[in-house]
Amino acid sequence: MAQVRNKQVVLRKYVDGFPKESDMNIVESTTTLKLPEGSSDVLLKNLYLSCDPYMRILMTNDNITGFGAYTLGSPLIGNGVAQVLESGDQDYKKGDLVWGTTKWEEYSLVPSSQIRSKIEHADIPLSYYTGILGMPGMTAYVGFFELGSPKKGENVFVSAASGAVGQLVGQFAKLTGCYVVGSAGSKEKVDLLKNKLGFDEAFNYKEEPDLNATLKRCFPEGIDIYFENVGGKTLDAVLLNMRVHGRIPVCGMVSQYNLTQPEGVTNLANLIFKRVRMEGFIVGDFYHLYPKYLEFVLPHITEGKVVYVEDIAEGLENGPAAMVGLFSGRNVGKQVLLVAHE
Amino acid sequence: MAQVRNKQVVLRKYVDGFPKESDMNIVESTTTLKLPEGSSDVLLKNLYLSCDPYMRILMTNDNITGFGAYTLGSPLIGNGVAQVLESGDQDYKKGDLVWGTTKWEEYSLVPSSQIRSKIEHADIPLSYYTGILGMPGMTAYVGFFELGSPKKGENVFVSAASGAVGQLVGQFAKLTGCYVVGSAGSKEKVDLLKNKLGFDEAFNYKEEPDLNATLKRCFPEGIDIYFENVGGKTLDAVLLNMRVHGRIPVCGMVSQYNLTQPEGVTNLANLIFKRVRMEGFIVGDFYHLYPKYLEFVLPHITEGKVVYVEDIAEGLENGPAAMVGLFSGRNVGKQVLLVAHE
Ligand SMILES: NC(=O)c1ccc[n+]([C@@H]2O[C@H](COP(=O)([O-])OP(=O)(O)OC[C@H]3O[C@@H](n4cnc5c(N)ncnc54)[C@H](OP(=O)(O)O)[C@@H]3O)[C@@H](O)[C@H]2O)c1
Ligand SMILES: NC(=O)c1ccc[n+]([C@@H]2O[C@H](COP(=O)([O-])OP(=O)(O)OC[C@H]3O[C@@H](n4cnc5c(N)ncnc54)[C@H](OP(=O)(O)O)[C@@H]3O)[C@@H](O)[C@H]2O)c1
C-alpha cells in the first residue's frame, strides 16, 4: 500500500504565557491511506480545521481544568470538517462529509464516536461547520438561549463580539428583539459589528480608558444579559452595570488564558445586590440540542437574516500563526484553517 | 399626653473602612406613646433588634447597591421583634407580638407594611424571630434549598459557618444527608460547629496558611455546594475545588464590606471548566415562602433536631459594640440586641 505525506501541526513544548508560533512545529510524517484490518474507526481527509481559544488551555500541562493536555510531538486535536476516505463504522461511508473532533494533519484516523454529525446541506459553505453550524454556533445558541433566558426588549452586552461565537450572540439577540452592544479590539471590528452584524452599538475596548463609564453610557439602565467571552477587567466593569435579575452566561475568559496570574475581579458583591446569576457552561454538554439548533439557524442563514464572518488561513503551515493570532485579535470573525479542498 | 424617654442608636457619620463604635451615637430623645390622629401606622415597643452585616452597607453613602443609605442623625433601621402598643391597621392590635423592619430605639412608629409577620408560637424564644425564625433563617432556607438545589450525599461547604445564617445552612445540609464542612474564625466556633451543630468537619480559616490545600483535604472529591457568606480569598480557594455542575448561592461577602478596594478573585474561569452556577440572592425576594419555611423548621426546633446559637447583648447602649463586633467575629452565633422585656 502506497504511503502518502501527512503534514502535521504538532505541539513542540508546553506553553507558558502567550503562545508563540515556535511552540508548534510543522512535521512531515507519512501514512498509509488504509484502515487497519477489523478497525471500527474512520479514516478522514481533513478539509477545514477550527482555531479555538480553548486549545490554548490544552497547551498547558497542569490539567487544572480536568480536560487534560496535548501530547508533546503529537498533532493538535480540535474540531474540523473532513471527508471520509474509509470507514469501519457502517454509519459512515466513503465520500461522506462530516464534522467533529479531528487532528491538525492532512489525514486522520479517529474513532467514529468523534464524529459529531454528517453534513447534509450541500448548499452551505463547508467551512461553516467549524463555525456557525459547528461548535461555536452551538456555543452561542446554548449560552444565549439556554443560560441567558433572553426576553424581548432586554439589554445584552457581548464581549469578543466580532469573534466566532460573539457575532452570533449579537445576531441572535437582535432576532430576539434585544438591544445589543458589543466590544471588540479594533476599529475594523467595531465597524463590522455596527454595519454588517446589526449590533445597536459597539466600542473598541482598547481605546476606552474607563470601561465602567463606557458601559454606563451604552446601558444607562443597565445590562440584563452579559455574554462573557473575555473575563478580567471587562467582567469587573460589567458587574457594576448589571440590572436586577441579570444573567451572565460564562462562555470563556480569553483575556485570562495566557496570564500566569489571572486578573482579580473585585466587584462580585454586585451579584448579591443585583441578584445576578453567573453560570459557566461547556458546549459539549448540550449537543443533544444540535438538531433543534439547525432547525432554528438554517432558515436564517438561507434567508440571509443571519450572516457569518470568517477569516480563512490557507495551509497547515499557517496553522500556528492562525492559532496564536486569536490572542492578539488578529482574526476578524471565525478563524478557520483550510487544509485541503474536497 | 405624657412624654417618655426614647433612647436611640443613631448614625453619627458615614463609615469608611471598618465601622467603629464612635460612628454611632446613643441619643436620648423623647416621644409620645400615642398614634397620630387617623394614622394607619403601628406604634411599637421594640424588644429584640437584629444585628446584621448588611447594615454596614447602609452606613456608606454611595448607594452603589441600590439599597440607599441610613440618614445621619437618625436611628439605624433593621429587623426586630416588637410589641404593638397601638395600631391604626386593623390587622394588628395592642399586645400583638410581631417581627419586621423597625428602628434602633425603644419605641418606633412604623408603617404597618413593615411588619413581616405576627408571632404566633408562644413556646419559642421571642429572640428567635431575629434569627432562625426571622430573616437569617429564611436566608439559609432560600439560599440552600432554592438556589443550592441540594441532593443527598452531596458535599457542602459553608463559610461564616457559626453565624446567624451559616449554622442553619450546615444543619439543613445535614438534614438533607449531605457531607458538611464549615469555616469560622476561632477555635471556640470550630468546636461549636463540630460538637453542637453537627458539621462533619470544620476549620479556623485564620489558622490555615493555604485555603486551597485545606479545602482539598476536606473535600478530596470537590465541593458540590458552596454557601458563600464571606467572599474574597475563601471564594478564590473554593473556585479551585468546585465539582462539575456545582452551585454557589451567593448570600454575602462579609469579608469585603469594609474594604475600600475589595480583594480580587482570580479563579473565576473554573466556573466554565466545572460548569458552576453562582447566583446572588436577596432574601426579601422570597418571603412568599415564609409559611412553607415555618412548616419545615418549627417541628425540627420543637423536636430538638435543629438548634440555634444566639449571642445576646443587652441594652441599646451596647448596640454599636454588637454591630461593630460582627466584623471582627466577636459574635458567637446570631447577634441579638435585647432592648426590653415584653
Ligand atoms: N464554553 C464553551 O463551551 C466555549 C465554546 C467555544 C468558545 N468558548 C469561549 O468563547 C470565547 C470566544 O471564542 P471564539 O471562538 O468566538 O473566539 P474568537 O472571538 O473568534 O477569537 C478570540 C478573540 O478574543 C479576543 N481577545 C483575545 N485576547 C483578548 C484579551 N486579552 N481581551 C479581550 N479580548 C481578547 C480577540 O478579539 P478582539 O480583537 O476583539 O480582542 C480575538 O479575536 C473564548 O473565551 C472561548 O474560550 C467557550
Ligand atoms: N442575601 C441576603 O439576603 C442575606 C441575608 C442575611 C445575611 N446575608 C449575608 O450572610 C452572611 C452571614 O450573615 P450572618 O447574619 O449570618 O452574620 P454572622 O455570620 O452571624 O456574623 C458575621 C460573621 O462574619 C464573619 N466575618 C467577619 N469578617 C470576616 C472576614 N473578614 N472574613 C471571614 N469572615 C468574617 C465573622 O465570623 P468568623 O469569626 O467566623 O470570622 C462574623 O461573626 C453575611 O455576608 C451577610 O451579609 C445575606
Side-chain angles (χ1 to χ4, degrees):
Chain A
M1 187 79 218
Q3 298 256 312
V4 296
R5 182 198 67 185
N6 192 18
K7 208 184 285 180
Q8 303 180 313
V9 179
V10 305
L11 189 65
R12 199 173 67 78
K13 56 188 284 289
Y14 287 114
V15 177
D16 197 26
F18 277 76
K20 298 179 297 296
E21 290 185 47
S22 60
D23 294 328
M24 289 159 266
N25 257 345
I26 310 296
V27 172
E28 293 223 353
S29 68
T30 55
T31 189
T32 313
L33 290 186
K34 179 90 201 87
L35 208 59
E37 198 64 48
S39 165
S40 61
D41 291 350
V42 283
L43 183 65
L44 298 176
K45 177 183 177 191
N46 293 312
L47 306 178
Y48 291 98
L49 293 172
S50 177
C51 300
D52 290 298
Y54 81 86
M55 297 169 71
R56 164 65 185 86
I57 298 169
L58 307 185
M59 294 181 178
T60 312
N61 195 21
D62 60 11
N63 193 23
I64 187 181
T65 58
F67 297 151
Y70 288 136
T71 307
L72 289 188
S74 291
L76 305 187
I77 296 169
N79 280 300
V81 171
Q83 185 153 39
V84 176
L85 296 182
E86 211 181 339
S87 172
D89 179 331
Q90 59 183 20
D91 286 350
Y92 305 99
K93 61 173 199 309
K94 186 174 152 80
D96 277 354
L97 293 167
V98 297
W99 76 272
T101 305
T102 183
K103 299 186 220 163
W104 280 41
E105 57 189 354
E106 291 173 276
Y107 304 100
S108 298
L109 186 67
V110 303
S112 61
S113 61
Q114 283 190 197
I115 294 178
R116 187 66 72 188
S117 178
K118 251 193 264 196
I119 294 176
E120 321 264 13
H121 318 93
D123 50 335
I124 283 175
L126 267 185
S127 55
Y128 275 23
Y129 288 87
T130 67
I132 182 169
L133 294 177
M135 187 277 275
M138 272 298 288
T139 303
Y141 179 70
V142 159
F144 184 65
F145 290 109
E146 297 292 313
L147 284 84
S149 311
K151 284 182 281 297
K152 192 177 161 177
E154 286 194 321
N155 297 334
V156 176
F157 177 52
V158 192
S159 52
S162 72
V165 176
Q167 62 176 306
L168 291 174
V169 174
Q171 293 181 79
F172 295 167
K174 285 313 301 173
L175 287 174
T176 311
C178 299
Y179 170 79
V180 193
V181 179
S183 64
S186 72
K187 183 175 177 318
E188 178 190 4
K189 292 182 180 183
V190 167
D191 287 345
L192 196 64
L193 292 171
K194 291 206 270 198
N195 302 324
K196 179 162 179 148
L197 297 165
F199 283 63
D200 294 293
E201 200 45 78
F203 62 86
N204 177 351
Y205 66 91
K206 293 179 182 166
E207 310 238 301
E208 298 292 330
D210 179 348
L211 284 174
N212 178 22
T214 307
L215 290 172
K216 289 218 155 34
R217 197 178 64 229
C218 294
F219 296 101
E221 296 184 348
I223 300 167
D224 295 293
I225 302 178
Y226 169 48
F227 194 99
E228 166 67 303
N229 280 321
V230 302
K233 289 185 191 63
T234 302
L235 173 58
D236 226 4
V238 163
L239 287 166
L240 296 174
N241 288 282
M242 289 300 291
R243 225 167 163 178
V244 168
H245 293 125
R247 286 84 68 199
I248 305 182
V250 189
C251 174
M253 296 198 172
V254 67
S255 79
Q256 307 297 296
Y257 301 163
N258 302 311
L259 307 181
T260 343
Q261 180 58 22
E263 289 170 330
V265 172
T266 59
N267 296 319
L268 286 165
N270 289 283
L271 295 180
I272 312 164
F273 310 142
K274 300 294 162 59
R275 304 84 141 160
V276 171
R277 189 177 71 213
M278 190 168 168
E279 189 169 0
F281 71 102
I282 295 285
V283 62
D285 293 346
F286 292 89
Y287 276 114
H288 56 282
L289 299 179
Y290 186 61
K292 196 175 147 204
Y293 172 57
L294 286 185
E295 220 170 279
F296 161 77
V297 82
L298 282 171
H300 287 309
I301 297 177
T302 320
E303 294 163 25
K305 289 203 184 128
V306 170
V307 296
Y308 200 59
V309 179
E310 301 182 305
D311 193 333
I312 304 191
E314 296 206 12
L316 278 168
E317 49 292 347
N318 289 312
M323 188 64 220
V324 167
L326 294 174
F327 301 98
S328 59
R330 208 185 71 164
N331 63 309
V332 179
K334 168 65 196 171
Q335 182 66 60
V336 188
L337 186 62
L338 167 67
V339 181
H341 291 284
E342 207 179 321
Chain B
M1 188 80 217
Q3 298 256 312
V4 297
R5 180 197 67 182
N6 191 19
K7 207 186 284 182
Q8 304 179 314
V9 180
V10 304
L11 188 65
R12 198 172 66 80
K13 56 189 281 291
Y14 286 113
V15 177
D16 197 26
F18 277 75
K20 300 178 297 297
E21 291 185 46
S22 60
D23 295 328
M24 290 158 266
N25 257 343
I26 311 294
V27 171
E28 294 223 351
S29 68
T30 56
T31 189
T32 313
L33 292 186
K34 181 88 200 90
L35 209 56
E37 198 65 48
S39 166
S40 61
D41 291 350
V42 283
L43 184 65
L44 299 175
K45 178 184 178 191
N46 293 312
L47 305 177
Y48 292 98
L49 294 172
S50 178
C51 300
D52 291 297
Y54 81 85
M55 297 169 71
R56 164 63 184 87
I57 298 171
L58 308 185
M59 294 181 177
T60 311
N61 196 21
D62 60 9
N63 193 24
I64 186 179
T65 59
F67 298 152
Y70 288 137
T71 307
L72 289 188
S74 291
L76 305 187
I77 296 169
N79 280 300
V81 171
Q83 185 152 41
V84 175
L85 296 182
E86 209 180 339
S87 173
D89 178 331
Q90 61 184 16
D91 285 351
Y92 305 98
K93 61 174 198 306
K94 187 173 152 83
D96 278 353
L97 292 166
V98 295
W99 76 272
T101 306
T102 183
K103 298 186 219 165
W104 280 41
E105 58 189 354
E106 291 174 278
Y107 304 100
S108 298
L109 187 67
V110 303
S112 61
S113 60
Q114 285 191 192
I115 295 178
R116 188 67 70 187
S117 178
K118 250 193 263 198
I119 294 176
E120 320 265 12
H121 318 93
D123 50 335
I124 283 175
L126 266 186
S127 55
Y128 275 23
Y129 288 88
T130 67
I132 183 170
L133 295 177
M135 188 278 278
M138 270 297 287
T139 302
Y141 178 69
V142 160
F144 184 64
F145 290 110
E146 297 291 315
L147 282 84
S149 311
K151 285 182 280 297
K152 189 175 163 182
E154 286 193 321
N155 296 334
V156 177
F157 177 53
V158 193
S159 53
S162 72
V165 175
Q167 62 176 306
L168 292 173
V169 174
Q171 293 180 81
F172 295 167
K174 285 313 300 173
L175 288 173
T176 312
C178 298
Y179 170 79
V180 193
V181 179
S183 64
S186 72
K187 185 177 178 318
E188 177 189 6
K189 292 183 180 184
V190 167
D191 288 346
L192 196 66
L193 292 172
K194 290 206 270 199
N195 302 325
K196 178 161 179 147
L197 296 166
F199 283 63
D200 295 292
E201 201 45 80
F203 62 86
N204 177 351
Y205 65 91
K206 292 179 183 166
E207 310 237 301
E208 298 293 331
D210 179 348
L211 284 173
N212 178 21
T214 308
L215 290 172
K216 289 220 154 31
R217 197 178 65 231
C218 294
F219 296 100
E221 298 185 346
I223 300 167
D224 294 294
I225 301 178
Y226 168 49
F227 194 99
E228 165 66 302
N229 280 322
V230 303
K233 288 185 190 61
T234 302
L235 173 58
D236 226 5
V238 164
L239 286 167
L240 295 174
N241 289 282
M242 289 301 292
R243 225 167 163 179
V244 169
H245 292 126
R247 285 84 66 199
I248 306 182
V250 188
C251 174
M253 296 199 172
V254 66
S255 77
Q256 306 297 299
Y257 301 163
N258 302 311
L259 307 181
T260 344
Q261 179 58 21
E263 289 170 329
V265 172
T266 59
N267 297 319
L268 286 166
N270 289 282
L271 295 179
I272 310 166
F273 311 142
K274 300 295 164 55
R275 302 86 140 160
V276 171
R277 189 178 68 213
M278 189 168 171
E279 190 170 0
F281 71 101
I282 294 286
V283 62
D285 293 344
F286 292 88
Y287 275 115
H288 55 282
L289 299 178
Y290 186 61
K292 197 175 145 203
Y293 172 57
L294 286 185
E295 220 170 276
F296 160 79
V297 82
L298 282 170
H300 288 307
I301 297 176
T302 320
E303 293 162 26
K305 289 204 184 128
V306 170
V307 297
Y308 201 60
V309 179
E310 300 183 305
D311 193 334
I312 304 192
E314 297 206 10
L316 278 169
E317 49 291 347
N318 289 312
M323 189 63 221
V324 167
L326 294 175
F327 301 98
S328 61
R330 207 184 72 166
N331 61 310
V332 179
K334 169 65 199 172
Q335 182 66 60
V336 187
L337 186 63
L338 167 66
V339 181
H341 292 282
E342 209 179 322

